[in-house]
């Protein structure tokens, strides 16, 4: 019996080939806060959510399959909690019932396996009860198939057969084993037999007794030892079969807990975002096509929304259809980097089959997502900032392919503007020719102007809005670069409007 709640045709894999930029994505996009919210203190949920978020789906139908199941989960969170709790409690209880797992004798393995199977059968009964009780809550193809599988496989006949087998395996009158004489009168072909109903009649057993029957003296230790060996050889295959049956059911509950952990994490995240409050939607996923990228209304940075609860987070409307690259300029502290993180996080969440933090969102499949954000100075002083930036850029260039997206946040600002502009422009041209889309947040007017003059690809230029009085609205507008990031606004905010002529200004310079 399979779960198939994360994929339509396979189990979830918790050990995929995680991309080499996992740590960078987590740091640059601020994913730790998002994952902590999803986990709610549960290590299993965090681990599953992290792998799922960083191991993106690449087929629109696979993403839709997961979105539909998640919609069911969000509509009936109590059912998901009940199913997850049942799976988690089953696995925890099985540890106690399965204490004979390290035993070496077939009889002890059989006893512990029977005990475990008895517990697991009770849990399977509970699973069927939950599914039958909440059957109407499932509307997605994935959840409907899961419910049908549970009801079709876990029938009353199935449970009765298990009950009968387990009762027989307790051997109330001892095991019935047949054997043959082999070479040198050694026993061979030991087979555990199912007792006939007539064997439970004491009178028939007395009448059938003959000279071939014998009893061991209670003080015959060697005889008891020999009899135990015969019993072990007779029940060995059955003990292994029962142990494997218990393992299969445990594997099912393990898979159920793992796959439900992701949806439970999404429920936790959605509840936290609802308290923020910020809008969420399921994105429309499209296949890659020339000129098709993404459109978004009210897109917000998920991590910022979680950390700034009950504070109004401004959303942005962006249409990047037909653009090969996006350049974001404008006022310092105007929301440029926030937009970059909101886009990157939304893309990852979309590929994971999750909702995104926006009013509407539509995007083409992205082959890969990479980030190149500025870093602090190397504390070990083993290399300069520019060298470190170039090393990371070389690593990214070796990983990406056509259809990928790279997010640049003030890259190559560690050198002078002219040199940094030349490096960034060469990279932009090479990536564009390779079919790689880019988003640049930059303070370099020279770089932004060079991209504006470059006529080969089509670019989208956005600017962080600033009112006449210097107030930041945190909204992005479609506009060309202005050649200033209004650093004076920040200076005046800290030192006052007269600070330019004061001694403090000279000290700062």
């Amino acid at each position: 019996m399979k779960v198939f709640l994360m994929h339509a045709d396979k189990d979830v894999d918790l050990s995929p080939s995680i991309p080499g930029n996992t740590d960078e994505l987590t740091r640059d996009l601020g994913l730790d806060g998002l994952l902590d919210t999803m986990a709610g203190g549960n290590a299993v949920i965090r681990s599953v959510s992290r792998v799922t978020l960083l191991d993106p789906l690449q087929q629109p139908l696979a993403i839709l399959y997961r979105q539909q199941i998640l919609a069911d989960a969000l509509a009936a969170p109590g059912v998901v909690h009940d199913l997850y709790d049942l799976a988690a409690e089953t696995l925890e209880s099985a540890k106690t019932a399965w204490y004979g797992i390290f035993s070496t004798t077939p009889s002890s393995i059989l006893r512990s396996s029977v005990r475990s199977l008895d517990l697991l059968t009770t849990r399977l009964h509970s699973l069927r009860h939950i599914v039958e009780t909440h059957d109407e809550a499932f509307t997605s193809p994935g959840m409907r198939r899961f419910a049908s599988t549970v009801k079709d496989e876990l029938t009353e006949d199935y449970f009765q057969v298990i009950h009968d087998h387990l009762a027989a395996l307790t051997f109330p009158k001892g095991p019935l084993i047949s054997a043959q004489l082999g070479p040198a009168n050694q026993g061979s072909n030991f087979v555990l037999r199912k007792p006939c109903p007539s064997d439970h009649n004491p009178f028939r057993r007395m009448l059938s007794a003959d000279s071939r029957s014998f009893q061991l003296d209670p003080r015959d230790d060697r005889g008891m030892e020999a009899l135990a060996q015969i019993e072990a050889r007779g029940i060995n295959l059955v003990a292994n079969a029962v142990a494997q049956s218990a393992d299969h059911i445990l594997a099912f509950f393990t898979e159920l807990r793992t796959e439900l952990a992701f949806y439970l994490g999404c429920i936790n995240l959605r509840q936290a975002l609802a308290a923020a409050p910020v809008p969420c939607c399921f994105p429309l996923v499209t296949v890659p096509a020339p000129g098709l990228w993404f459109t978004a209304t009210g897109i917000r940075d998920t991590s910022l929304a979680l950390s700034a609860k009950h504070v109004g987070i401004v959303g942005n409307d962006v249409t990047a259809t037909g653009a090969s690259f996006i350049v974001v300029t404008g006022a310092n502290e105007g929301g440029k980097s926030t937009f970059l993180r909101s886009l990157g996080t939304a893309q990852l969440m979309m590929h994971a089959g999750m909702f995104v933090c926006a009013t509407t969102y539509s995007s083409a499949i992205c082959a890969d997502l990479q980030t190149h954000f500025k870093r602090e100075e190397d504390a070990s002083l083993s290399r300069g900032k520019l060298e470190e930036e170039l090393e990371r850029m070389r690593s990214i260039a070796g990983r990406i392919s056509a259809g990928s997206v790279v997010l640049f946040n003030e890259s190559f600002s560690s050198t002078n503007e002219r040199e940094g502009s030349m490096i960034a422009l060469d990279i932009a041209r090479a990536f564009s020719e390779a079919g790689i889309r880019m988003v640049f947040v930059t303070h370099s007017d020279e770089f932004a102007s060079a991209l504006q003059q470059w006529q080969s690809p089509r670019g989208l230029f956005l600017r962080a809005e600033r009112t006449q009085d210097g107030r930041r609205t945190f909204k992005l507008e479609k506009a060309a670069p202005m050649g200033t990031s209004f650093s004076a606004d920040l200076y005046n905010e800290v030192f006052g409007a007269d600070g330019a002529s004061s001694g403090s200004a000279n000290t700062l310079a």
Side-chain angles (χ1 to χ4, degrees):
M1 191 164 65
K2 293 291 187 178
V3 179
F4 290 146
L5 293 180
M6 292 287 280
H7 303 278
D9 55 359
K10 63 179 182 179
D11 295 336
V12 66
D13 183 7
L14 290 183
S15 57
S17 55
I18 294 294
N21 64 328
T22 294
D23 292 339
E24 292 180 355
L25 279 176
T26 302
R27 178 195 307 176
D28 294 339
L29 301 181
L31 298 181
D32 278 330
L34 184 152
L35 292 172
D36 288 342
T37 301
M38 294 182 71
N42 186 310
V44 174
I45 296 178
R46 196 185 198 284
S47 175
V48 174
S49 300
R50 179 179 180 274
V51 171
T52 304
L53 196 62
L54 297 172
D55 183 33
L57 299 172
Q58 291 295 322
Q59 299 298 325
L61 288 179
I63 295 174
L64 178 61
Y65 179 82
R66 199 176 287 177
Q67 285 181 352
Q68 292 171 333
I69 295 176
L70 178 54
D72 272 355
L74 293 174
V79 182
V80 179
H81 275 281
D82 289 345
L83 291 172
Y84 180 86
D85 290 343
L86 173 65
E89 291 168 4
T90 299
L91 296 176
E92 189 63 32
S93 299
K95 294 178 182 178
T96 303
W98 195 242
Y99 64 80
I101 189 172
F102 297 112
S103 300
T104 56
T105 63
S107 57
S108 60
I109 293 175
L110 180 61
R111 284 194 299 271
S112 59
S113 299
V114 167
R115 190 163 46 246
S116 182
L117 266 181
D118 185 51
L119 167 69
L120 294 173
T121 302
T122 303
R123 300 295 183 172
L124 288 175
H125 250 301
S126 299
L127 173 63
R128 180 182 172 88
H129 175 71
I130 293 174
V131 169
E132 286 184 329
T133 302
H134 302 284
D135 191 27
E136 71 283 352
F138 305 137
T139 61
S140 65
M143 288 298 287
R144 293 300 306 169
R145 181 172 67 168
F146 172 73
S148 296
T149 300
V150 169
K151 290 185 293 185
D152 292 344
E153 297 289 338
L154 304 182
T155 64
E156 289 304 320
D157 290 341
Y158 169 82
F159 288 120
Q160 186 61 50
V161 169
I162 292 182
H163 176 270
D164 293 344
H165 283 315
L166 293 180
L169 290 172
T170 59
F171 305 130
K173 296 185 179 298
L176 179 61
I177 301 173
S178 67
Q180 294 178 343
L181 288 177
N185 285 336
Q186 294 293 317
S188 64
N189 297 331
F190 291 88
V191 178
L192 180 66
R193 300 292 181 178
K194 181 180 180 180
C196 296
S198 59
D199 290 338
H200 296 287
N201 188 322
F203 297 102
R204 182 177 178 86
R205 292 172 65 92
M206 290 174 60
L207 291 173
S208 63
D210 54 31
S211 59
R212 290 172 294 181
S213 300
F214 67 93
Q215 290 184 340
L216 290 177
D217 188 284
R219 295 172 294 178
D220 186 357
D221 294 337
R222 297 294 297 272
M224 290 293 184
E225 182 179 343
L227 190 60
Q229 292 177 357
I230 293 174
E231 178 182 310
R233 295 179 67 178
I235 69 173
N236 183 54
L237 292 178
V238 174
N240 289 335
V242 176
Q244 290 176 12
S245 298
D247 286 341
H248 288 320
I249 300 177
L250 281 173
F252 167 78
F253 276 110
T254 301
E255 187 67 23
L256 181 62
R257 181 188 65 171
T258 299
E259 299 200 15
L260 288 176
F262 167 72
Y263 294 105
L264 196 55
C266 291
I267 291 172
N268 293 338
L269 178 61
R270 185 65 188 91
Q271 291 173 345
L273 291 173
V278 291
C280 291
C281 70
F282 281 108
L284 176 63
V285 185
T286 58
V287 296
L292 184 63
W293 192 352
F294 77 93
T295 61
T297 60
I299 187 171
R300 292 163 170 83
D301 179 10
T302 307
S303 297
L304 179 61
L306 294 171
S307 61
K309 293 180 179 178
H310 308 298
V311 176
I313 305 297
V314 176
N316 277 289
D317 303 340
V318 179
T319 299
T321 301
S324 297
F325 62 85
I326 302 173
V327 181
V328 187
T329 60
N332 278 304
E333 303 295 331
K336 301 187 299 296
S337 297
T338 298
F339 165 72
L340 201 62
R341 287 192 296 270
S342 69
L343 177 60
T345 304
Q347 200 70 23
L348 286 178
M349 293 174 71
M350 182 195 80
H351 276 271
M354 300 171 63
F355 49 80
V356 300
C357 201
T359 304
T360 63
Y361 190 78
S362 173
S363 176
I365 289 290
C366 165
D368 190 17
L369 179 68
Q370 301 284 334
T371 57
H372 191 274
F373 284 35
K374 68 176 182 179
R375 296 278 187 265
E376 297 299 324
E377 190 77 52
D378 181 12
S380 66
L381 301 178
S382 60
R383 57 182 177 176
K385 289 185 67 175
L386 179 60
E387 180 183 358
E388 186 272 337
E389 286 191 282
L390 291 173
E391 284 287 347
R392 280 193 288 123
M393 193 67 255
R394 181 171 66 175
S395 178
I396 290 173
R399 290 193 298 262
I400 58 175
S401 59
S404 299
V405 174
V406 185
L407 308 180
F408 295 90
N409 190 13
E410 298 185 35
S411 298
F412 312 113
S413 59
S414 55
T415 185
N416 63 75
E417 183 172 358
R418 181 173 179 79
E419 187 178 53
S421 175
M422 291 176 61
I423 294 173
L425 186 60
D426 285 343
I427 292 172
R429 286 173 172 166
F431 279 6
S432 181
E433 292 173 1
I436 298 167
R437 293 187 172 100
M438 299 153 285
V439 184
F440 296 94
V441 165
T442 181
H443 291 299
S444 172
D445 179 55
E446 186 170 344
F447 172 59
S449 299
L451 283 176
Q452 206 174 11
Q453 295 171 7
W454 182 34
Q455 299 299 322
S456 296
R458 298 179 60 186
L460 173 63
F461 289 84
L462 303 175
R463 190 171 66 211
E465 189 178 44
R466 171 189 178 274
T467 62
Q468 291 294 330
D469 59 0
R471 184 174 58 87
R472 272 67 167 164
T473 64
F474 306 108
K475 297 285 289 185
L476 299 182
E477 55 184 352
K478 188 176 180 180
M482 292 186 65
T484 176
S485 57
F486 299 99
S487 300
D489 290 344
L490 300 181
Y491 178 85
N492 292 336
E493 183 179 338
V494 175
F495 295 102
D498 298 329
S501 59
S502 67
S504 60
N506 294 328
T507 302
L508 181 66

